[in-house]
Amino acid sequence: MKDIIIAYPNKDVAMQMRSLLESEGFHVSFVCATGASVLNIAQDLNDGVVVCASILSDMGAGSLAEHLPVGFDVVALSKNGREEYMGNLINIPLPMQKDEFLQTVSILVSTRSSFTQRNNNDREIISNAKLVLMNNKDITESQAHQYLQKESMRTGKKLVDLAREIINDFTE
């Protein structure tokens, strides 16, 4: 199982986050306040999941995700209210849904490699699957992505593999 690092500028929030994760059976390896601290810790680890604020005192979650070694995923809690998935970064809007957050962390810590790391071809496949779902289920892009993510977690399949299956199922 991967190490969990919590990075939050507010110590009380960081400790509440740690308490929540540990009460659900996760092991939090490190708690820190800055992106630089996360990057220093990550150099000594093989892989991990970083749970952080979308903006730390020294960098944003996007910059942190870019500079982490391969094998690390970032779950950023964002006040902007938008759910986004980019590379090895997942933005979860605040207020968060506890179960969805815990399920996201669970799938990320239990996968062997960086779950969200995708190349351009994978991103295109996922986008096409979202379009298929939007057209066939009359849902928004956000709902389509949420559907993909939940099904991926439920079935234990990578998002891109599930996306391929959906494209094949609806285009046959």
Side-chain angles (χ1 to χ4, degrees), residues 132 136 164-172:
V132 166
N136 288 288
R164 281 188 189 101
E165 287 178 14
I166 287 171
I167 292 168
N168 289 338
D169 289 348
F170 280 100
T171 56
E172 288 180 340

Side-chain angles (χ1 to χ4, degrees), residues 147-164:
Y147 173 85
L148 283 170
Q149 183 189 27
K150 285 182 181 179
E151 279 301 298
S152 171
M153 289 181 198
R154 187 183 67 76
T155 62
K157 295 178 184 176
K158 285 193 169 194
L159 206 63
V160 70
D161 294 336
L162 182 63
R164 281 188 189 101

Side-chain angles (χ1 to χ4, degrees), residues 1-67:
M1 199 169 277
K2 294 180 183 179
D3 287 280
I4 297 176
I5 303 169
I6 296 174
Y8 239 84
N10 180 310
K11 183 178 180 179
D12 291 337
V13 173
M15 298 314 284
Q16 288 173 356
M17 189 68 56
R18 178 184 199 158
S19 179
L20 169 66
L21 289 168
E22 289 182 343
S23 73
E24 295 294 324
F26 297 104
H27 172 70
V28 176
S29 302
F30 301 94
V31 177
C32 54
T34 66
S37 297
V38 172
L39 294 173
N40 285 335
I41 292 166
Q43 296 308 314
D44 295 331
L45 302 173
N46 293 325
D47 52 21
V49 175
V50 178
V51 176
C52 66
S54 61
I55 300 174
L56 300 166
S57 62
D58 57 347
M59 69 181 70
S63 181
L64 176 62
E66 285 178 22
H67 291 93

